[in-house]
Structure formats: C-alpha cells, structure tokens
Amino acid sequence: MDLLLLAPIGAIIALAFAGYLAYSVLKQSEGTEQMKKIAAAVREGANAYLKRQYTGVAIFFAVMVVILSILAFLGYLNPFVPFAFLTGGFFSGLSGYFGMKIATSANARTANAAKNSLNSGLRVAFSSGAVMGFVVVGLGLLDLSVWFYFLKWIFRNLDEAQQIQNITSAMLTFGMGASSMALFARVGGGIFTKAADVGADLVGKVEAGIPEDDPRNPAVIADNVGDNVGDVAGMGADLYESYVGSIVSTSALAVAAGLGFSGVTIPMTMAAIGVLASIIGTFFVRSGEQAEQKVLLAALRNGTYVSGGLIAIISYFLVTAVLGTAHIGVYYAILSGLLAGILIGFFTEYYTSDTYKPTQKLSGTSLTGPATVIIGGISLGMFSTAIPVVIVGIAVLASYYLAGGAQSFSMGLYGVGISAVGMLSTLGITLATDAYGPVADNAGGIAEMSHLGPEVRRRTDALDSLGNTTAATGKGFAIGSAALTALALIAAYKEEVELIVKKENLQFAFDLTIINPPVLIGLFIGGMLPFVFASLTMEAVGRAAQMIVVEVRRQFREIKGLMEGTAQADYATCVDICTRAAQKEMLAPALLAVIAPIVVGLILGVNGVAGMLAGATVTGFVLAIMMANSGGAWDNAKKYIEAGNHGGKGSDSHKAAVVGDTVGDPFKDTSGPAINILIKLLSMVSIVFAAFVLHNSLLK
C-alpha cells in the first residue's frame, strides 16, 4: 500500500470527527433566554469582525496574487505558485472561521452544562476546542494532499528527485499564504481582544470597582468577542501554518538527504498517525467534581500524554517500514521533537500557573503596589526563557546527530525538520486544550451576566482559570514549534537557493560565516525585527484601548441608570470601535513581515537574508516566550488573589494585580504569539522571492 494515501484518509477522518464533535456540542441546550441573548450578541460581534477582516485581507491577497503572477510570467516562480498561495491563505482562514463558529456556539452551552457538573462543563468546552484542533489538521492535510497528488501527476515524466523538487517548491508557497493569513488573524484579533479587555478592566474594575464580566460594563461583550477572534480564529490560523510549514519544509529537505519519496512519506504519514492518536486521546479527558487546578490540568494532560505515547510507538514501525533500520535515527529525531513539545508545555505551565511558586510569588509583589507587580512579571518572563531555549537547543542538536548529521549534513537537516513534525504531530489534541480556554472564559462571563447560582459560577471560574493556564501552555507550544519550523524553513531556503543556482547555472556560492558583512548586518536586522514588530502591535493595542476607555467612561457618565443596573449599556459601539481599530492597526506589522526580507535581499543578497532569518528566529523565539509567560503569570497572579489570597477581590493588592494583568494582556495575546508567525513568514517570503533576489540584488 502507498502510505502517502494515509494523508488524505487522515484528513477525511479528522474533518469527520470534527463534524461529530460539533454536532454533539450543538445538541446541548444554551440555557435560559438571557444566556441565549448574550451568546447571540457575542456571536454577532465575532461574525461581523471576521467578515470585515476577511474582506480587508482579500484585498491584500489579490495584490499578492498579481505580484506573484507577474514574477511567474517573468520566469522567477513556478506557474502554480500564485494558486498555491491562494489556497494556503484560504484554508488557513477557513480553519479559523470554523473554530470560531463552534466556539461562539459553545460558550452558553458550557455555562449551562456546568449547572449539572464540572465534568459536563469541561466536556462541552473541550469538545468545542477539539473541533478547532481537528479542523486545523484536517484542512491542513487536505490542502497538502490535493497539491501533492496534483503536482505529482503534472510532473510525472520527470525523474524522482526533480519531481520532489518541483512539487515542494510550489507547495512551500502555500505556506506563505497560510502565514500571511495567520499574521492578519493573530495581529488583528489580538488588537481587537486586548483593546476591549484593557479598556474594560481599566474603567470597570479599577475605576468603577465593578466585577469582571459585569453586564453594566459596555466593553464586556467586545471582550468576549475578542476572546474568540484572537485566541480561537487567530490561534487556529497560526498553528495551521506551523503544521503545514513543518511538513512541507521537511519534505523539501528529503531530496538533498537522498531519501526521495520515502523522505516525503514520513512527515505526511506522521501527520495522519497524529490524527488517529489525537482522536483516541480526546476520550481520556475526564474530570471529577474537584475544582482544583491540579486535578483539571491532569484531566487535560491525560489526553495529550496518551496521544504522544501512541505516536511514539507507531512512528517506530513507520520509520523502520519506510526507511529501514539503517535510518532508525530518524525515529529518535521524531521522539526528540515530541518530547521537546511536552517539556516546553510543562515548563510554560510551571511559570504561568498559580499552582506553582513563580506565579504565587508574583502575586505577593502586589502587596507593595502595581510597580513591583510589573517589575516582578517582566523578571519572571525573562527568566522563564532559559529552559525553553535549552530544550530547543538540545532537540535541534539531538535530532541533527541522531538522524545522521555527523555523516551527512543534509540528513541532519532532515532530522531537524522531522523533529518539528514530531512536535506538531499531536496538534489535534494540543490545539483542543488551547482553544478550550476562550470558550471557558466566555462561559464564565455568561454565568456572571445571567446571574447563575454560586455553584455554577464556582465551576465556570475553575474552568476559566484552567483555560488561562492551557492558553499559556498552548502559546508556549506554538512558539516552540515555530522555532523548530523556522529552523527547518531556513534549511529549506538554503536548499531552494542552491537548486535555483544549479538549475539556472548562476555564479553564486553561500558564505554564511558570521564575519561575512552581509550575514552580520542581516543578523542585526533580523534581531531587531521582532522588537519593532512587538512595538507596533503593543502601540496599536494602546491606541485602541484608549478609545475604549473614553467610550466606557462616556457611557458610565451619560447613560442614566447604567451603574444602578436599570439601564442597558451600548455594547455595539465598543465592538465597532475595536473592529475599526484592529483593521487599521494590523496593516503596518503585516507589511513589515512581507517587505523586510525582500528589501534585505535586494540590498544584501541571499547571504544577508540568511543572516536576517537566523537573527529573527533567535530573538523572536526568546522575546515571544518572555512576553507570553509574563502575560500569563500576571493573569494568573490576579486570579490567585481573587481566590482569596493577599486580601482577595477589591483589595489594594487586587487592584495592583489588575494593573499587571492589563499590561500583560497585549504581551500574551497580541505581540508574543504573533512574533512566532513573524519568524515563519519571513522565511516563507524569502523562499518565494529567492529567484527574484538572486537575479536583482546589489550584492551577489
């Protein structure tokens, strides 16, 4: 049997299982009329935002297709590239859209299920997150499979090595489409959600002293909408792009490694195996009625560990069947990536969950005011980068040498790529635990606004607090996988340039020594880009949040009876402000990611681009981890105080922690997670424009 057929079969199974889960969630009751009304408002706002965002993004894609078509006409690109770019963006956006649709339908159902038991609420929220996870892997595998078999038929008359080179060269481009869509979704959604969240917190909790998710707060619906467009649609598009990027870049490295179609079979089939393992893992997610974080985290971990264990076992038989025992090192490279993903998730949880000392210690700094909370959170985030960097370093070193890097440089690079595939092989269930978070958060808000009983609120608070931790863990996983994927893409960039040079008989040779001026300048530019990108996105959140603060203050001042609860807040205006701000503010960061590699290439040549990619990957990975962990720790430090520690809700320490959480919002939900897309998009754009840069750069 052709094992590559498992990829389209896996895609169909993933999408069918996602459909089954969606059906099981939608069968649940949304609860009271008030709960249905609130859920409908959130759904309406999220749909309106995505419609406007996708309309704007469509213009960008139309312009890019024209540019890519011109380059293809001039002979710089494969003629299939513009179409591959379009499908990559389309499926990336579609995965986010489906995930958001089910998330906005599951929030009230989760709150209603929590009336029965904690486990019922967990199952509904987790099932809706799993829809996102399996839609992402299903559509990713479907896109990969259709293009692979179509291009294999087109290039059927070429020898095997040339076939793979032409197939992967075109397929790498849909990674650029997926990356572009992911960046718009992540940045736009992140600006929306954090503008609403910051505005709601600053005026509602700090100034007015009303609870979180209080229906009197005009920004509360916008905040709930933002959770879905940022952390569901944005995260889905982000990890879709990592998923397909790791598979395609590893397939592209198979030719130089001398593995032929066998080297392509491994990553594609690994993805299909991951689908089945993740499906089995979902049935192990169960909890009792204890609302303790350790118990709930263990329930989610059970599913992830079962999936990882199954992949570890099955991939051994896959590698030995396809490559033979002579290449058993490829199996160990897969294990190194799988283990690295689990370890990064665990240590992210350690630094951000209030179950452990770092966040508990951070909560204690609130006793002396907001300044010490902010200093402590930044310090924690900086220190937390050490272990993930060591883990990724060991994974890269291990996968390189275990795959045979000592004997063959190309085999070593293939090993690094396959370790990224190993890390992302459990994506179906890993993304489920992450996308679960916004649903639980919205459920808590609906329980508060619908005045459900204290027992229900206790359960939704427990699920919400768990969601904060799983969201932080998911971001750590996404950033770690981005680092490995970016390294594989840099290797694929080198292979692509050398392929173009050989095909067109150009006079060029890489000189990637660090003292080569273009490489050194490229390193500095690449190292700077994540900081400029983070600055642009942070400033965007700040400007948008200011508008929300002004609007919420206006409504509190002008709408008579609002604070007494006898008048209705104008939620729609806040949603509209966030939508318009997000659309406007996301353009500059997105254009930076697309334009930078082309400009650097035209001035410094491909050596300079290689330096830029290396610099951006190193600083981007570290900065993203630092920002995500600082933000996650600030958020859970606030939750720890709200649970009754250090004075509890309404105390001075709580107000100080709210300020820390507010600063952390754009850290963890806008800038931090978007940086991992930046480092991958830079690589994708560099690969697509490699031929153009080779022919037109000032420094050859």
Side-chain angles (χ1 to χ4, degrees), residues 623-636:
L623 183 62
I625 288 283
M626 174 258 163
M627 296 184 87
N629 286 354
S630 286
W634 273 318
D635 194 350
N636 279 328

Side-chain angles (χ1 to χ4, degrees), residues 402-613:
L402 288 170
Q407 294 78 36
S408 166
F409 178 70
S410 296
M411 268 305 299
L413 292 181
Y414 181 81
V416 173
I418 204 69
S419 72
V421 176
M423 183 184 281
L424 285 159
S425 58
T426 59
L427 184 61
I429 192 164
T430 305
L431 186 51
T433 61
D434 186 49
Y436 146 92
V439 176
D441 191 356
N442 272 205
I446 289 171
E448 177 75 28
M449 288 185 275
S450 303
H451 309 293
L452 299 183
E455 182 62 21
V456 177
R457 185 64 203 186
R458 185 185 69 82
R459 290 167 180 164
T460 57
D461 278 349
L463 295 175
D464 182 16
S465 186
L466 174 66
N468 285 335
T469 301
T470 60
T473 305
K475 289 179 180 76
F477 176 82
I479 294 163
S481 66
L484 277 183
T485 302
L487 289 172
L489 287 169
I490 294 171
Y493 171 70
K494 181 177 178 292
E495 297 293 338
E496 183 75 10
V497 169
E498 289 177 344
L499 175 64
I500 294 166
V501 168
K502 183 179 176 183
K503 188 186 292 184
E504 301 185 18
N505 199 25
L506 302 174
Q507 295 300 309
F508 171 80
F510 269 113
D511 178 8
L512 298 180
T513 54
I514 198 168
I515 55 174
N516 181 17
V519 175
L520 186 58
I521 296 167
L523 280 167
F524 276 115
I525 293 171
M528 164 271 294
L529 284 173
F531 287 90
V532 173
F533 180 85
S535 170
L536 290 170
T537 50
M538 292 276 288
E539 196 174 6
V541 170
R543 281 194 295 265
Q546 285 175 338
M547 290 189 279
I548 291 295
V549 166
V550 170
E551 173 59 22
V552 174
R553 284 174 177 166
R554 181 195 68 78
Q555 291 197 34
F556 280 154
R557 187 175 62 250
E558 295 180 6
I559 299 179
K560 295 194 183 330
L562 179 57
M563 286 301 291
E564 292 76 25
T566 57
Q568 178 81 26
D570 178 7
Y571 302 123
T573 299
C574 289
V575 172
D576 186 59
I577 288 171
C578 289
T579 301
R580 285 187 283 108
Q583 296 303 295
K584 178 184 174 185
E585 299 284 0
M586 72 181 180
L587 287 174
L591 290 175
L592 174 71
V594 174
I595 293 170
I598 300 172
V599 173
V600 169
L602 291 176
I603 296 171
L604 299 177
V606 292
N607 285 316
V609 171
M612 180 204 71
L613 296 179

Side-chain angles (χ1 to χ4, degrees), residues 193-194 196-197 200-201 212-213 219-227 442:
T193 183
K194 291 305 107 181
D197 199 357
D201 283 355
E212 188 170 2
D213 298 319
V220 74
I221 293 295
D223 186 11
N224 287 331
V225 169
D227 289 334
N442 272 205

Side-chain angles (χ1 to χ4, degrees), residues 74 93 148 150 244 275 295 358 373 387 411-412 548 563 591 687:
L74 295 174
F148 179 81
F150 171 70
V244 298
V275 168
V295 175
V373 171
I387 293 176
M411 268 305 299
I548 291 295
M563 286 301 291
L591 290 175
I687 290 169

Side-chain angles (χ1 to χ4, degrees), residues 343-344 347 350-351 383-394 621:
L343 287 175
I344 287 174
F347 282 106
Y350 173 75
Y351 281 108
F383 191 78
S384 72
T385 63
I387 293 176
V389 167
V390 170
I391 290 170
V392 168
I394 292 172
F621 173 53

